[in-house]
Amino acid sequence: MDTLFLMNSLWVMLGAVLVILMIGGFILLETGSTRMKNAGHVAGKTILTFGIGSIVFWAVGYGLIFGKGNSLIGFSDFFYSGYEIDGLALSGSVFFLFQLAFAGISLTIALGGFAERAKLGAYLVFALLFSVIVYPPIAHWIWGGGWLAEHGKQDFAGSTVVHLTGAMAALAATIILKPRIGKYNKDGSANNLAGHNQVFTALSVLLLWVGWFGFNAGSTLSVDKAFFGFVAINTNLAAAAGTVAAMIISWMVLGKADVPMMLNGALAGLVAITASCAFVETWAAVVIGFIAGILVFYSIRFFEKRKIDDPIAALSVHGTAGVWGTLSTGFFATKDLATVGQPGLFYGGGLHQLGVQAMGVLVCGAFAFIVSFILLKIMKTAMNGLRVTEEEEIIGLDMSEHGSYGYPELLKSEQRLNA
Amino acid sequence: MAYSCYMEIRKFRDDKIKQASHDHIKLNQLHDEIMKKVIHLALSQTAEKLGPLPCPFSFFVMGSAGRLEQSIWSDQDHGIIYQDDRVETKVYFLELGKEISKGLFQAGYSYCDGGVMASNPLWCKSLYEWHHQLMKWIFEFSWESVRYLLIFIDARTLLGDEGFVDTLKNQIYQTANKDQLVKKMLNNTKYLKNGINVFGKLVTETHGPYAGLLNIKEIGILPYVNAVRLIAIKENLLTTPTLERLDTLSELHFSDIDIDFFKDQFIRLLNFRLIYCNQTNYDSGHYLPVAHLSREQSKELKDMIKNGSALFHSVRKLIEKEDSHANE
């Protein structure tokens, strides 16, 4: 067998493993950013919904994205069974698994908007619907040879496809679910429902950071010329710049170097560089990450002021930074590196690529938001509400949805004290 | 007029406080009057239970009451010093301390979270025990014991023999390692809450019921209070109000500090708090709704904050410089 084929397969398999491990990062991120009484629920449902997402992707998701069809949707290769795929220089199964992992990440991001108040059933049903109706069309448009691919839309590893799509679904969910009890006071001021474990959150960022090498560098789908190393450097630099930028801006504005904000800065840097990691020079990666770190700070404050309660900052980290990352190639993509589309504004490409990127953001963002919003509204009616009762929310979803606490000793002894 | 229960004193407070609520000096005179009424009632209640006073004593207040810088709402910070060192007197004054604390609570002064009250044996002692305790605090030289000393320096006698408090303060001032002590006190109060960010904007609370409001106590007032207290200690002053301390200092000719200017800034700051903060309760009274300020007022506030930090920093330099000379 061809050595390059085997090495490509091995490299992308490693990428798939790293991306699936990012789910572990999201478990720690969401759990650390939420309260103790919901810890078991938040952690457990993430595994469960990845299970649902995997099965749906195998059954229909892959076929809708990569199947033969038209410029809007694919429609073949359902229930993929491990055969080789024409035109790929790597194992079909490995490619499939890699793509499955991406769909899983987008779904996990979307469900972040449900945190601490949605019924378990809402997660399950929306996991199914998102994996069939929301994610595949957008992934097909950009990666599956759909109409945006024809325009030369640049989204190397998915700032739009994975992150913006997930974030827009999360936005629809946060709006429909409304804020958690106690988040806002009567006069409209917001309370800080602080996450219960900053150590988890920090660790999650490191896990995601490392997993992102699979996400971005793995998206080369090949070991050819070891280009993945360059992509990995850009990824690392953007994350680093995002971290520093968020720390600086929070210190400058609030007079305090806010730890959760710094962590969100790292993630924003990663999300932003996802689209552009293969198309821009290293200095541009630093700039892109740095700007993402600043944007995420203002974005979090923006959403909070508008009474959109986003416990894990999914809208800002994946949405705002996803938009910026997608647009960034329109400025920074170089002639040599732009294997897809045209060079950006700073490299003599004029406004063309920026226009394509903006159109992609607008159409994909609107599609993800509107479709998710409609689906959730229908679900709300059909399921007699998406949200747990106030009582259930107060005792915590660990107990109300699963019957056992993530931290049983601690919370039970607290209950005894209160009794 | 003699009152028969604390609720009557509360009513007196409620009737009078509104008139005094726009004048810093009148307001603090009223607080003193109310607290004295409570103490007198507590004295007669205790006398009914345990008999007449066994010996001379003094009741002192600390914190903002000690400095005559209370706002409309204030919490309790107080202690007792009594002359005799007998077991019966100990029981008597601790009981009195509890009675006063209860009475003050009913009259509208919330309990002190840190337990700095005459109902706590730590703050209710005979003169001899107080000497001993201060020695221990000075000797211990820990963060906590130095904090107690800083609290005690703001003690002001409200009732009884003023000599007790003065004697004890002089004891602190005469310690052999005073320079080190002042340095340690500086380290205890060095933390300043940032009030103006790099862009020159006021830093307000980001979350909670006071989101968008500025913590004027921590950001505005405390730098002045802490800075002036440190010089007061350095200069062995017995008086407690920040303004009076500044007056005394001006006589000592601090060449690089324009005392009158800082006095003016500080009194303006106290009035800002009194006039613009929502005085519904103790917490809300410390948060300034900066959005309602005019451009000029906002600029004035920023200047007051900056000048407070500047004052604190020059005091800090002064103390650190002297310390480095001492080490040479």
Side-chain angles (χ1 to χ4, degrees):
Chain A
M1 228 177 185
D2 177 15
T3 315
L4 194 63
F5 180 90
L6 290 175
M7 283 179 70
N8 287 346
S9 303
L10 198 59
W11 164 237
V12 177
M13 183 67 208
L14 177 62
V17 169
L18 284 170
V19 175
I20 292 173
L21 260 180
M22 284 170 69
I23 307 262
F26 279 110
I27 289 177
L28 286 179
L29 177 71
E30 285 193 39
T31 316
S33 313
T34 52
R35 287 160 296 174
M36 215 174 224
K37 61 184 180 180
N38 302 317
H41 161 79
V42 168
K45 66 88 185 150
T46 310
I47 297 286
L48 179 64
T49 54
F50 181 56
I52 295 173
S54 296
I55 291 172
V56 175
F57 189 82
W58 163 73
V60 295
Y62 179 83
L64 293 172
I65 299 168
F66 294 101
K68 290 181 189 65
N70 52 36
S71 65
L72 290 177
I73 199 79
F75 213 81
S76 69
D77 296 279
F78 298 119
F79 300 97
Y80 173 76
S81 58
Y83 44 79
E84 295 308 337
I85 297 160
D86 284 347
L88 272 188
L90 73 158
S91 147
S93 305
V94 170
F95 178 74
F96 173 87
L97 192 68
F98 190 63
Q99 293 300 335
L100 178 151
F102 275 59
I105 296 295
S106 191
L107 174 63
T108 305
I109 294 164
L111 296 175
F114 289 52
E116 296 199 290
R117 56 217 194 276
K119 288 179 192 168
L120 185 64
Y123 281 99
L124 307 184
V125 176
F126 191 70
L128 186 83
L129 296 175
F130 179 87
S131 304
V132 179
I133 302 172
V134 184
Y135 181 78
I138 294 174
H140 176 76
W141 298 346
I142 297 173
W143 290 343
W147 69 277
L148 274 169
E150 288 161 15
H151 277 95
K153 163 95 161 47
Q154 293 164 339
D155 190 7
F156 189 71
S159 282
T160 303
V161 177
V162 176
H163 294 281
L164 183 62
T165 306
M168 283 297 139
L171 176 63
T174 27
I175 291 173
I176 291 173
L177 281 164
K178 301 205 167 65
R180 292 165 292 170
I181 295 173
K183 175 65 193 177
Y184 290 98
N185 300 309
K186 278 199 183 108
D187 62 2
S189 58
N191 294 313
N192 185 18
L193 303 183
H196 86 281
N197 195 330
Q198 279 188 5
V199 181
F200 278 6
T201 316
L203 204 51
S204 82
V205 169
L206 188 76
L207 253 178
L208 289 164
W209 189 318
V210 173
W212 230 283
F213 294 129
F215 205 91
N216 285 1
S219 289
T220 53
L221 298 178
S222 128
V223 296
D224 191 27
K225 294 186 188 133
F227 184 58
F228 57 79
F230 178 74
V231 174
I233 289 182
N234 275 354
T235 304
N236 199 78
L237 287 175
T243 313
V244 174
M247 187 55 117
I248 291 176
I249 192 74
S250 73
W251 174 78
M252 280 167 61
V253 175
L254 304 175
K256 282 266 181 259
D258 187 71
V259 171
M261 194 57 83
M262 172 200 68
L263 299 174
N264 283 324
L267 295 179
L270 288 165
V271 170
I273 202 63
T274 296
S276 46
C277 51
F279 305 131
V280 302
E281 294 186 61
T282 46
W283 70 267
V286 174
V287 174
I288 292 167
F290 197 87
I291 292 176
I294 292 176
L295 282 176
V296 81
F297 172 81
Y298 284 105
S299 174
I300 287 172
R301 285 157 65 96
F302 170 85
F303 283 118
E304 189 165 72
K305 278 219 176 91
R306 268 144 202 84
K307 296 219 181 150
I308 294 171
D309 179 16
D310 178 18
I312 52 177
L315 309 180
S316 301
V317 166
H318 301 279
T320 307
V323 169
W324 159 239
T326 308
L327 295 178
S328 72
T329 72
F331 295 105
F332 296 106
T334 74
K335 258 195 189 100
D336 295 341
L337 292 169
T339 46
V340 179
Q342 309 271 321
L345 182 62
F346 301 152
Y347 289 87
L351 292 169
H352 170 80
Q353 194 58 37
L354 192 59
V356 172
Q357 298 302 101
M359 177 177 66
V361 163
L362 224 65
V363 176
C364 297
F367 176 84
F369 178 76
I370 294 168
V371 174
S372 300
F373 195 86
I374 295 169
L375 291 173
L376 287 161
K377 275 284 183 192
I378 297 170
M379 279 170 59
K380 192 175 174 184
T381 318
M383 297 173 70
N384 200 12
L386 298 174
R387 195 165 165 154
V388 294
T389 65
E390 288 192 354
E391 186 192 14
E392 288 168 333
E393 190 175 332
I394 284 161
I395 60 170
L397 280 85
D398 276 11
M399 197 40 86
S400 78
E401 300 299 281
H402 309 277
S404 64
Y405 279 121
Y407 296 96
E409 283 84 356
L410 206 84
L411 287 159
K412 274 184 192 151
S413 62
E414 239 176 46
Q415 277 177 342
R416 265 200 298 279
L417 283 174
N418 292 337
Chain B
M1 160 182 176
Y3 291 88
S4 60
C5 78
Y6 299 114
M7 292 316 283
E8 284 177 19
I9 302 176
R10 173 66 194 254
K11 197 172 167 307
F12 168 81
R13 177 198 151 103
D14 291 346
D15 290 345
K16 297 274 178 181
I17 204 131
K18 192 141 193 160
Q19 297 164 22
S21 67
H22 289 289
D23 183 329
H24 180 72
I25 294 166
K26 257 198 209 160
L27 177 66
N28 277 276
Q29 283 167 349
L30 178 67
H31 278 304
D32 268 12
E33 195 184 339
I34 297 163
M35 290 190 290
K36 278 183 185 157
K37 285 184 195 301
V38 168
I39 300 162
H40 282 298
L41 180 55
L43 277 168
S44 64
Q45 299 274 15
T46 311
E48 260 177 46
K49 252 193 280 180
L50 301 175
L53 274 171
C55 66
F57 81 108
S58 95
F59 179 86
F60 58 92
V61 285
M62 295 166 286
S64 59
R67 298 189 306 270
L68 284 168
E69 285 156 16
Q70 293 183 96
S71 188
I72 306 260
W73 297 98
S74 183
D75 64 351
Q76 306 185 22
D77 291 293
H78 46 74
I80 288 176
I81 306 163
Y82 46 88
Q83 197 171 39
D84 289 354
D85 195 28
R86 286 178 297 137
V87 179
E88 309 87 80
T89 27
K90 188 187 277 304
V91 174
Y92 189 96
F93 284 105
L94 195 60
E95 191 58 36
L96 176 66
K98 286 179 185 161
E99 186 65 31
I100 293 175
S101 188
K102 186 185 85 182
L104 283 172
F105 179 75
Q106 291 183 17
Y109 299 85
S110 52
Y111 291 117
C112 170
D113 292 336
V116 183
M117 294 182 290
S119 54
N120 177 351
L122 194 71
W123 297 93
C124 180
K125 290 189 181 302
S126 72
L127 188 58
Y128 173 80
E129 287 173 322
W130 266 111
H131 274 303
H132 197 74
Q133 170 151 291
L134 291 179
M135 250 160 58
K136 192 172 139 249
W137 284 348
I138 294 166
F139 183 74
E140 248 183 48
F141 210 63
S142 68
W143 191 89
E144 194 181 20
S145 72
V146 170
R147 189 176 143 261
Y148 287 148
L149 289 170
L150 280 166
I151 295 172
F152 185 78
I153 290 293
D154 284 350
R156 177 172 64 91
T157 308
L158 196 61
L159 199 87
D161 190 341
E162 278 184 29
F164 290 162
V165 166
D166 292 352
T167 312
L168 291 173
K169 280 191 193 173
N170 281 324
Q171 184 196 339
I172 299 173
Y173 293 152
Q174 279 151 19
T175 80
N177 62 344
K178 169 123 177 278
D179 285 344
Q180 268 74 37
L181 188 64
V182 173
K183 178 87 193 297
K184 180 97 178 170
M185 286 169 162
L186 168 69
N187 281 329
N188 256 31
T189 46
K190 234 177 204 171
Y191 171 76
L192 295 184
K193 195 174 158 104
N194 220 334
I196 300 172
N197 71 18
V198 180
F199 305 113
K201 286 205 164 147
L202 291 164
V203 176
T204 55
E205 299 295 304
T206 52
H207 290 96
Y210 306 115
L213 278 68
L214 179 121
N215 185 334
I216 194 170
K217 180 184 172 184
E218 282 189 38
I219 290 172
I221 295 173
L222 284 186
Y224 287 89
V225 169
N226 290 342
V228 174
R229 187 197 290 114
L230 284 170
I231 316 189
I233 295 167
K234 203 172 133 353
E235 298 298 334
N236 304 338
L237 301 190
L238 296 173
T239 183
T240 54
T242 302
L243 291 169
E244 274 180 38
R245 280 171 171 167
L246 278 167
D247 263 337
T248 321
L249 291 171
S250 69
E251 290 158 19
L252 296 166
H253 307 298
F254 267 86
S255 56
D256 55 341
I257 298 174
D258 182 354
I259 299 285
D260 286 334
F261 173 71
F262 286 109
K263 266 178 69 184
D264 173 67
Q265 291 282 288
F266 186 65
I267 189 96
R268 274 166 192 265
L269 202 52
L270 292 175
N271 284 330
F272 244 77
R273 175 176 69 174
L274 214 48
I275 295 164
Y276 299 116
C277 291
N278 170 11
Q279 303 291 354
T280 1
N281 61 53
Y282 179 68
D283 281 340
S284 74
H286 293 308
Y287 288 93
L288 187 74
V290 289
H292 298 172
L293 297 180
S294 71
R295 191 180 282 262
E296 291 75 33
Q297 287 168 329
S298 176
K299 162 128 195 355
E300 199 185 340
L301 177 64
K302 282 180 201 166
D303 286 343
M304 292 186 289
I305 292 172
K306 280 184 204 156
N307 291 324
S309 313
L311 177 66
F312 190 85
H313 287 300
S314 42
V315 167
R316 177 179 160 175
K317 255 193 238 153
L318 193 78
I319 290 170
E320 282 172 350
K321 197 171 76 189
E322 299 221 335
D323 187 65
S324 69
H325 286 315
N327 289 341
E328 272 165 18

